């Protein structure tokens, strides 16, 4: 997986979304993830700058031995180590699609969590199989990732816009297959069962995340857009404004006039059979 994101800008603008907080507080608590019967060894896949790791994952486990927080981007791990240090968290550069980078943790995890990461993963079947191998028998994994989104539509529109098109020739837009093919929850349920997981929860849900201002939503999605690094510095502001305009065209504003992002999310929780 080749992923080029603006790590510093992402860190400045990213806080766990309300939809993510609800996933932890409602779905994972209902499934007993906070009722630790043994010392948990947890992996956070795609930890980014570590805010979700420290603010959502860490408090969930009362009996926690260790969190291994991994990300493919070295810059993200550097920021996480500096800004979200905790003695029970070890941040590591690793790729869930590359077994050689994670094989040292084979069958050591009691839980694996991945928030807003798997929409970037090209070979999901392989990545899910790797998660299966990381878990102890009886271990569980949870995934929260985007299937379809106004943001992905925005990226595709900008990539084909005559004003910008010449900059993005040959650039992978990283828009997932699920956005193009409109996969439903059953697609992933069957995939997980074919690997050997028991599926505990699998829902495709529409989620709306509201931002505090136009500047906020613009900067956040600029940091997430894989096209951004290919735009010359003297054209960055113009590109950001076009990105905002396109986002608002496909999203809109709430009753208070605040911009929001509209997407379809997969919530997935599975168990590795004993």
């Amino acid at each position: 997986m080749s992923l080029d994101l603006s790590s510093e800008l992402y860190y400045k603008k990213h806080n766990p979304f309300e939809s993510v907080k609800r996933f932890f507080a409602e779905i994972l608590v209902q499934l007993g993830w906070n009722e630790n019967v043994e010392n948990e060894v947890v992996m956070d896949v795609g930890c980014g700058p570590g805010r979700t790791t420290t603010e959502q994952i860490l408090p969930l486990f009362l009996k926690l031995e260790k969190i291994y927080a991994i990300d493919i981007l070295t810059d993200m791990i550097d920021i996480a180590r500096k800004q979200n240090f905790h003695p029970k968290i070890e941040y590591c550069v690793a790729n869930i699609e590359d077994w050689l980078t994670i094989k040292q943790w084979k069958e050591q995890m009691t839980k694996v969590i991945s928030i807003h990461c798997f929409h970037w993963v090209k070979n999901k079947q392989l990545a899910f199989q790797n998660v299966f191998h990381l878990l102890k028998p009886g271990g569980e994994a949870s995934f929260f990732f985007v299937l379809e989104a106004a943001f992905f539509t925005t990226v595709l529109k900008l990539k084909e816009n005559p004003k910008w098109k010449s900059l993005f020739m040959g650039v992978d837009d990283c828009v997932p297959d699920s956005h193009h093919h409109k996969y439903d929850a059953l697609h992933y349920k069957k995939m997980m069962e074919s690997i050997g997981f028991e599926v505990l929860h699998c829902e495709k849900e529409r989620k709306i995340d509201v931002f505090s201002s136009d500047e906020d939503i613009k900067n956040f999605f600029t940091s997430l857009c894989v096209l951004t690094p290919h735009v010359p510095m003297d054209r960055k502001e113009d590109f950001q404004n076009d990105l905002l305009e396109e986002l608002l065209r496909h999203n809109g504003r709430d009753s208070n006039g605040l911009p929001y992002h509209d997407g379809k999310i997969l919530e997935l929780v599975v168990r590795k059979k004993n």
Side-chain angles (χ1 to χ4, degrees):
M1 179 173 68
S2 176
L3 194 57
D4 192 359
L5 301 180
S6 307
S7 301
E8 194 65 44
L9 185 57
Y10 179 80
Y11 171 70
K12 287 176 183 172
K13 297 300 169 187
H14 174 255
N15 282 304
F17 287 130
E18 288 305 314
S19 55
V20 170
K21 293 175 184 176
R22 284 195 296 274
F23 178 64
F24 279 91
E26 294 173 16
I27 303 302
L28 294 186
V29 168
Q30 284 169 16
L31 290 169
W33 274 46
N34 59 329
E35 298 167 5
N36 315 102
V37 293
E38 61 175 314
N39 285 345
E40 302 276 10
V41 181
V42 180
M43 180 171 283
D44 178 12
V45 175
C47 65
R51 275 208 184 107
T52 301
T53 321
T54 53
E55 294 175 18
Q56 301 300 317
I57 299 175
L58 192 65
L60 187 65
F61 299 105
L62 302 175
K63 294 171 72 175
L64 177 70
E65 187 176 314
K66 186 96 170 174
I67 297 175
Y68 293 96
I70 70 168
D71 201 282
I72 193 172
L73 298 174
T74 305
D75 288 354
M76 289 287 191
I77 292 298
D78 288 343
I79 293 168
R81 285 171 178 159
K82 288 174 193 162
Q83 304 294 340
N84 285 298
F85 171 81
H86 190 278
K88 288 193 173 181
I89 302 174
E90 184 177 331
Y91 294 104
C92 310
V93 178
N95 179 0
I96 195 63
E97 290 181 85
D98 183 355
W99 181 247
L100 290 177
T101 69
I102 53 176
K103 65 179 184 178
Q104 68 267 34
W105 298 300
K106 183 179 180 181
E107 294 196 342
Q108 290 185 28
M109 302 299 141
T110 59
K111 298 285 195 298
V112 172
I113 303 177
S114 184
I115 303 295
H116 280 312
C117 167
F118 264 66
H119 45 256
W120 301 118
V121 170
K122 293 289 186 192
N123 189 337
K124 290 182 177 56
Q125 176 96 20
L126 173 64
F128 285 136
Q129 284 173 340
N130 286 344
V131 170
F132 184 87
H133 295 310
L134 289 168
L135 286 167
K136 291 181 176 181
E140 294 178 1
S142 64
F143 307 90
F144 185 100
F145 61 94
V146 184
L147 297 179
E148 302 165 42
F151 168 64
F152 294 142
T153 302
T154 295
V155 170
L156 293 171
K157 291 281 187 186
L158 288 171
K159 193 180 179 190
E160 292 305 313
N161 186 325
K163 180 177 173 182
W164 302 107
K165 191 172 181 178
S166 63
L167 296 175
F168 307 137
M169 302 294 280
V171 174
D172 183 355
D173 55 44
C174 292
V175 173
D177 288 350
S178 58
H179 182 80
H180 296 291
H181 300 302
K182 314 299 180 199
Y183 292 145
D184 58 11
L186 186 61
H187 174 86
Y188 294 94
K189 184 173 186 287
K190 287 178 176 175
M191 186 186 293
M192 300 311 263
E193 288 173 345
S194 74
I195 292 167
F197 283 113
E198 176 190 353
V199 177
L200 307 176
H201 173 82
C202 187
E203 299 275 344
K204 179 180 179 178
E205 301 226 338
R206 184 183 179 206
K207 303 285 186 187
I208 290 176
D209 289 297
V210 180
F211 288 76
S212 61
S213 67
D214 286 11
E215 197 69 15
D216 195 27
I217 193 171
K218 179 173 74 173
N219 286 334
F220 177 72
F221 283 108
T222 297
S223 77
L224 270 189
C225 181
V226 295
L227 305 179
T228 303
H230 301 275
V231 179
M233 195 58 70
D234 62 344
R235 299 185 69 190
K236 278 272 200 297
E237 188 176 347
D238 191 20
F239 177 74
Q240 284 184 301
N241 290 334
D242 282 5
L243 184 143
L244 173 63
E245 190 180 315
E246 199 67 48
L247 274 172
L248 291 174
R249 185 177 294 125
H250 298 291
N251 288 298
R253 299 182 185 275
D254 70 3
S255 56
N256 297 315
L258 294 175
Y260 65 79
H261 181 259
D262 191 346
K264 290 178 180 170
I265 301 284
L266 189 75
E267 297 178 345
L268 178 61
V269 186
V270 296
R271 178 185 294 137
K272 181 175 180 174
K273 296 172 185 175
N274 279 310

